[in-house]
Amino acid sequence: MNRHVTVGLDDSTESHAAAAWAAREAASRGVALRVVHVEEWPITPEIPLTLTEALVERYETLLREAAERARRDHPGLDVTTEMVHGRAGAELTRAADEAEVMALGSRGLGGFVGFLVGSVSLAVVATSTRPVVLVRAERPGAEAGATESGAAAGGAGAAGAAEQASAGAEDAAAVGSPPDVVLGLDIAHPSDPLLDFAFGTAARRNLPLRVVHSWSPPASYGYAAILDPEIGTGLGRRAAEGLTELLRPWRSRFPEVRVVEKVVVGPAARELVHASRGAELLVVGRRGRRPALPHLGHVAHAVIHHSSAPVAVVPLA
């Protein structure tokens, strides 16, 4: 099968945003774009033929228009479309496993609530053997964000409102910064597929790569840190040195990519959600595959629900 990027398409705004992202990704990779729609309604004698024909026509039009937009935006791009019948999670996972990257739409609910990720998207992200990117639609940020943030602040009290106001100011500052690709990296569990995806994306899109490693001192260091504050400094220094050493061969392999290393203290999920503000893409890894029970680690799960940027989830094995 030819190399390609796949997008799962329906008639939602988020799905169209995912199609635009996938077309750009396919063009940057120099591969074909495959646009897939999964229809779950059953084909049975009980369903009137006129209704069946209307549904088929509706989604054929949806696929055709998406293909035309992709070709118009990226002249020369090879685009194919396909309508399949079956369970959406299973069919999209199968399509993802055959692609270099799968893109899916996810509904955005504002910076403080995050993505609304449906069961189908979660199933594909958690079980695919290939990278899956969740894309949200562009929305009038001030409108939706202010309304939803205000509602959340009302429940959180004055302290929550102050914290959200501060975060909102940070969001505004981040939006004014040049976009980059953010990679969440655990130096204790490095992954070539994860690093290759992040560096490759930054190189193809001519963007800086910001690599974030988050660490926390072991609980056993509590009393020792009180007696000797330099212990924490030493741990942080070793983490920074480990990150630099891990990235050294990748810097050599992708000399055109400007890499910014950042070592932070705190929960990884919180730090990555913070880092996603203003980013063009956030890249995280996922360990293992559980076909019978879709599963995500807590970091990936938190990030895909709360990142303000599209999220690429890359299987580590």
Side-chain angles (χ1 to χ4, degrees):
M1 180 174 291
N2 293 334
R3 296 172 55 204
H4 61 276
V5 171
T6 297
V7 58
L9 187 71
D10 57 32
D11 52 8
S12 68
T13 304
E14 294 74 24
S15 179
H16 288 296
W21 189 96
R24 181 184 177 191
E25 182 69 8
S28 73
R29 289 174 176 259
V31 302
L33 173 65
R34 181 187 180 200
V35 186
V36 177
H37 173 73
V38 180
E39 194 49 76
E40 290 193 303
W41 47 267
I43 302 177
T44 66
E46 288 76 17
I47 296 181
L49 181 60
T50 52
L51 176 57
T52 300
E53 292 174 343
L55 288 171
V56 169
E57 182 178 353
R58 171 185 175 185
Y59 289 113
E60 285 180 343
T61 300
L62 180 73
L63 289 168
R64 184 178 62 255
E65 291 177 347
E68 290 172 352
R69 279 193 299 273
R71 294 188 185 104
R72 183 177 64 247
D73 293 341
H74 304 278
L77 181 63
D78 179 14
V79 185
T80 61
T81 63
E82 183 177 1
M83 186 187 303
V84 297
H85 297 273
R87 302 300 299 175
E91 294 299 332
L92 289 175
T93 298
R94 186 177 297 111
D97 287 346
E98 297 173 350
E100 293 192 5
V101 186
M102 162 67 89
L104 296 172
S106 255
R107 183 181 175 192
L109 295 178
F112 301 105
V113 181
F115 283 98
L116 177 63
V117 185
S119 58
V120 171
S121 295
L122 281 176
V124 178
V125 169
T127 60
S128 174
T129 60
R130 304 294 298 167
V132 178
V133 179
L134 298 178
V135 184
R136 66 193 298 173
E138 292 293 334
R139 297 177 183 276
E143 259 179 322
T147 302
E148 289 151 6
S149 300
E163 181 180 351
Q164 291 182 15
S166 174
E170 291 173 351
D171 281 344
V175 169
S177 303
D180 58 5
V181 175
V182 175
L183 167 62
L185 186 62
D186 181 358
I187 63 174
H189 300 91
S191 164
D192 285 353
L194 179 65
L195 286 157
D196 185 66
F197 185 92
F199 271 87
T201 300
R204 287 189 299 273
R205 300 203 174 193
N206 193 28
L207 293 172
L209 175 63
R210 185 167 22 132
V211 184
V212 179
H213 170 61
S214 178
W215 69 279
S216 298
S220 59
Y221 277 70
Y223 291 111
I226 294 174
L227 297 174
D228 183 6
E230 290 299 315
I231 288 179
T233 302
L235 291 173
R237 184 166 54 250
R238 283 196 290 275
E241 291 170 352
L243 179 60
T244 297
E245 186 62 28
L246 177 62
L247 294 178
R248 193 183 310 280
W250 292 92
R251 285 176 177 269
S252 298
R253 182 176 170 184
F254 293 90
E256 72 277 26
V257 175
R258 183 169 69 85
V259 181
V260 177
E261 300 175 19
K262 186 174 183 181
V263 175
V264 294
V265 181
R270 183 191 69 193
E271 297 299 333
L272 290 175
V273 169
H274 177 80
S276 74
R277 297 168 186 165
E280 183 157 314
L281 182 69
L282 173 60
V283 183
V284 296
R286 172 184 64 78
R287 294 191 189 93
R289 173 172 175 161
R290 301 184 181 182
L293 179 63
H295 172 77
L296 286 170
H298 71 279
V299 173
H301 191 276
V303 164
I304 66 173
H305 280 85
H306 297 285
S307 170
S308 56
V311 179
V313 181
V314 182
L316 301 184

PDB file of all heavy atoms in Angstrom, residues 178-194:
ATOM      1  N   PRO A 178       6.026  32.976  18.811  1.00  0.00           N
ATOM      2  CA  PRO A 178       6.090  32.130  17.610  1.00  0.00           C
ATOM      3  C   PRO A 178       5.681  30.700  17.952  1.00  0.00           C
ATOM      4  O   PRO A 178       6.023  30.198  19.021  1.00  0.00           O
ATOM      5  CB  PRO A 178       7.576  32.220  17.213  1.00  0.00           C
ATOM      6  CG  PRO A 178       8.088  33.447  17.874  1.00  0.00           C
ATOM      7  CD  PRO A 178       7.303  33.602  19.142  1.00  0.00           C
ATOM      8  N   PRO A 179       4.947  30.030  17.066  1.00  0.00           N
ATOM      9  CA  PRO A 179       4.523  28.659  17.350  1.00  0.00           C
ATOM     10  C   PRO A 179       5.715  27.706  17.329  1.00  0.00           C
ATOM     11  O   PRO A 179       6.742  27.981  16.700  1.00  0.00           O
ATOM     12  CB  PRO A 179       3.537  28.357  16.222  1.00  0.00           C
ATOM     13  CG  PRO A 179       3.982  29.240  15.103  1.00  0.00           C
ATOM     14  CD  PRO A 179       4.488  30.493  15.754  1.00  0.00           C
ATOM     15  N   ASP A 180       5.576  26.599  18.008  1.00  0.00           N
ATOM     16  CA  ASP A 180       6.602  25.573  17.996  1.00  0.00           C
ATOM     17  C   ASP A 180       5.949  24.217  18.195  1.00  0.00           C
ATOM     18  O   ASP A 180       4.739  24.102  18.378  1.00  0.00           O
ATOM     19  CB  ASP A 180       7.663  25.832  19.081  1.00  0.00           C
ATOM     20  CG  ASP A 180       7.076  25.916  20.492  1.00  0.00           C
ATOM     21  OD1 ASP A 180       5.865  25.677  20.656  1.00  0.00           O
ATOM     22  OD2 ASP A 180       7.826  26.228  21.441  1.00  0.00           O
ATOM     23  N   VAL A 181       6.752  23.175  18.106  1.00  0.00           N
ATOM     24  CA  VAL A 181       6.312  21.822  18.429  1.00  0.00           C
ATOM     25  C   VAL A 181       6.819  21.518  19.827  1.00  0.00           C
ATOM     26  O   VAL A 181       7.987  21.742  20.133  1.00  0.00           O
ATOM     27  CB  VAL A 181       6.873  20.800  17.423  1.00  0.00           C
ATOM     28  CG1 VAL A 181       6.506  19.377  17.844  1.00  0.00           C
ATOM     29  CG2 VAL A 181       6.356  21.086  16.029  1.00  0.00           C
ATOM     30  N   VAL A 182       5.933  21.016  20.684  1.00  0.00           N
ATOM     31  CA  VAL A 182       6.303  20.681  22.057  1.00  0.00           C
ATOM     32  C   VAL A 182       6.325  19.170  22.205  1.00  0.00           C
ATOM     33  O   VAL A 182       5.369  18.486  21.818  1.00  0.00           O
ATOM     34  CB  VAL A 182       5.326  21.299  23.079  1.00  0.00           C
ATOM     35  CG1 VAL A 182       5.670  20.842  24.494  1.00  0.00           C
ATOM     36  CG2 VAL A 182       5.357  22.822  22.995  1.00  0.00           C
ATOM     37  N   LEU A 183       7.405  18.654  22.763  1.00  0.00           N
ATOM     38  CA  LEU A 183       7.540  17.226  23.010  1.00  0.00           C
ATOM     39  C   LEU A 183       7.649  16.971  24.502  1.00  0.00           C
ATOM     40  O   LEU A 183       8.529  17.521  25.177  1.00  0.00           O
ATOM     41  CB  LEU A 183       8.794  16.681  22.308  1.00  0.00           C
ATOM     42  CG  LEU A 183       9.259  15.276  22.707  1.00  0.00           C
ATOM     43  CD1 LEU A 183       8.190  14.234  22.363  1.00  0.00           C
ATOM     44  CD2 LEU A 183      10.580  14.936  22.047  1.00  0.00           C
ATOM     45  N   GLY A 184       6.748  16.156  25.028  1.00  0.00           N
ATOM     46  CA  GLY A 184       6.848  15.721  26.416  1.00  0.00           C
ATOM     47  C   GLY A 184       7.691  14.454  26.462  1.00  0.00           C
ATOM     48  O   GLY A 184       7.328  13.440  25.853  1.00  0.00           O
ATOM     49  N   LEU A 185       8.823  14.502  27.164  1.00  0.00           N
ATOM     50  CA  LEU A 185       9.784  13.401  27.119  1.00  0.00           C
ATOM     51  C   LEU A 185      10.168  12.953  28.519  1.00  0.00           C
ATOM     52  O   LEU A 185      10.570  13.766  29.359  1.00  0.00           O
ATOM     53  CB  LEU A 185      11.034  13.846  26.357  1.00  0.00           C
ATOM     54  CG  LEU A 185      12.089  12.781  26.087  1.00  0.00           C
ATOM     55  CD1 LEU A 185      11.521  11.658  25.217  1.00  0.00           C
ATOM     56  CD2 LEU A 185      13.307  13.403  25.415  1.00  0.00           C
ATOM     57  N   ASP A 186      10.044  11.661  28.766  1.00  0.00           N
ATOM     58  CA  ASP A 186      10.507  11.046  30.010  1.00  0.00           C
ATOM     59  C   ASP A 186      11.873  10.436  29.723  1.00  0.00           C
ATOM     60  O   ASP A 186      11.983   9.447  29.002  1.00  0.00           O
ATOM     61  CB  ASP A 186       9.512   9.964  30.453  1.00  0.00           C
ATOM     62  CG  ASP A 186       9.922   9.285  31.754  1.00  0.00           C
ATOM     63  OD1 ASP A 186      10.999   9.612  32.298  1.00  0.00           O
ATOM     64  OD2 ASP A 186       9.172   8.407  32.222  1.00  0.00           O
ATOM     65  N   ILE A 187      12.938  11.015  30.276  1.00  0.00           N
ATOM     66  CA  ILE A 187      14.284  10.546  29.938  1.00  0.00           C
ATOM     67  C   ILE A 187      14.559   9.162  30.510  1.00  0.00           C
ATOM     68  O   ILE A 187      15.498   8.490  30.071  1.00  0.00           O
ATOM     69  CB  ILE A 187      15.363  11.541  30.403  1.00  0.00           C
ATOM     70  CG1 ILE A 187      15.361  11.699  31.926  1.00  0.00           C
ATOM     71  CG2 ILE A 187      15.167  12.892  29.726  1.00  0.00           C
ATOM     72  CD1 ILE A 187      16.499  12.567  32.440  1.00  0.00           C
ATOM     73  N   ALA A 188      13.725   8.715  31.451  1.00  0.00           N
ATOM     74  CA  ALA A 188      13.904   7.359  31.986  1.00  0.00           C
ATOM     75  C   ALA A 188      13.347   6.312  31.026  1.00  0.00           C
ATOM     76  O   ALA A 188      13.681   5.131  31.143  1.00  0.00           O
ATOM     77  CB  ALA A 188      13.230   7.235  33.347  1.00  0.00           C
ATOM     78  N   HIS A 189      12.484   6.732  30.104  1.00  0.00           N
ATOM     79  CA  HIS A 189      11.891   5.806  29.137  1.00  0.00           C
ATOM     80  C   HIS A 189      11.935   6.441  27.747  1.00  0.00           C
ATOM     81  O   HIS A 189      10.890   6.785  27.173  1.00  0.00           O
ATOM     82  CB  HIS A 189      10.445   5.468  29.523  1.00  0.00           C
ATOM     83  CG  HIS A 189      10.310   4.833  30.870  1.00  0.00           C
ATOM     84  ND1 HIS A 189      10.107   5.570  32.022  1.00  0.00           N
ATOM     85  CD2 HIS A 189      10.375   3.531  31.247  1.00  0.00           C
ATOM     86  CE1 HIS A 189      10.026   4.745  33.051  1.00  0.00           C
ATOM     87  NE2 HIS A 189      10.195   3.511  32.613  1.00  0.00           N
ATOM     88  N   PRO A 190      13.130   6.614  27.186  1.00  0.00           N
ATOM     89  CA  PRO A 190      13.228   7.228  25.863  1.00  0.00           C
ATOM     90  C   PRO A 190      12.632   6.327  24.789  1.00  0.00           C
ATOM     91  O   PRO A 190      12.579   5.108  24.934  1.00  0.00           O
ATOM     92  CB  PRO A 190      14.737   7.409  25.670  1.00  0.00           C
ATOM     93  CG  PRO A 190      15.356   6.351  26.519  1.00  0.00           C
ATOM     94  CD  PRO A 190      14.444   6.202  27.709  1.00  0.00           C
ATOM     95  N   SER A 191      12.188   6.939  23.707  1.00  0.00           N
ATOM     96  CA  SER A 191      11.537   6.190  22.629  1.00  0.00           C
ATOM     97  C   SER A 191      11.951   6.761  21.286  1.00  0.00           C
ATOM     98  O   SER A 191      11.717   7.950  21.026  1.00  0.00           O
ATOM     99  CB  SER A 191      10.018   6.255  22.779  1.00  0.00           C
ATOM    100  OG  SER A 191       9.370   5.861  21.590  1.00  0.00           O
ATOM    101  N   ASP A 192      12.549   5.940  20.444  1.00  0.00           N
ATOM    102  CA  ASP A 192      12.937   6.412  19.115  1.00  0.00           C
ATOM    103  C   ASP A 192      11.728   6.851  18.275  1.00  0.00           C
ATOM    104  O   ASP A 192      11.796   7.894  17.612  1.00  0.00           O
ATOM    105  CB  ASP A 192      13.713   5.327  18.377  1.00  0.00           C
ATOM    106  CG  ASP A 192      15.142   5.191  18.898  1.00  0.00           C
ATOM    107  OD1 ASP A 192      15.554   6.031  19.739  1.00  0.00           O
ATOM    108  OD2 ASP A 192      15.848   4.260  18.484  1.00  0.00           O
ATOM    109  N   PRO A 193      10.617   6.085  18.253  1.00  0.00           N
ATOM    110  CA  PRO A 193       9.462   6.551  17.458  1.00  0.00           C
ATOM    111  C   PRO A 193       8.948   7.910  17.910  1.00  0.00           C
ATOM    112  O   PRO A 193       8.568   8.745  17.081  1.00  0.00           O
ATOM    113  CB  PRO A 193       8.416   5.453  17.684  1.00  0.00           C
ATOM    114  CG  PRO A 193       9.210   4.228  18.008  1.00  0.00           C
ATOM    115  CD  PRO A 193      10.387   4.722  18.787  1.00  0.00           C
ATOM    116  N   LEU A 194       8.924   8.150  19.211  1.00  0.00           N
ATOM    117  CA  LEU A 194       8.441   9.425  19.739  1.00  0.00           C
ATOM    118  C   LEU A 194       9.368  10.566  19.327  1.00  0.00           C
ATOM    119  O   LEU A 194       8.918  11.606  18.836  1.00  0.00           O
ATOM    120  CB  LEU A 194       8.349   9.346  21.265  1.00  0.00           C
ATOM    121  CG  LEU A 194       7.884  10.605  21.995  1.00  0.00           C
ATOM    122  CD1 LEU A 194       6.444  10.929  21.634  1.00  0.00           C
ATOM    123  CD2 LEU A 194       8.015  10.427  23.506  1.00  0.00           C
TER     124      LEU A 194
END
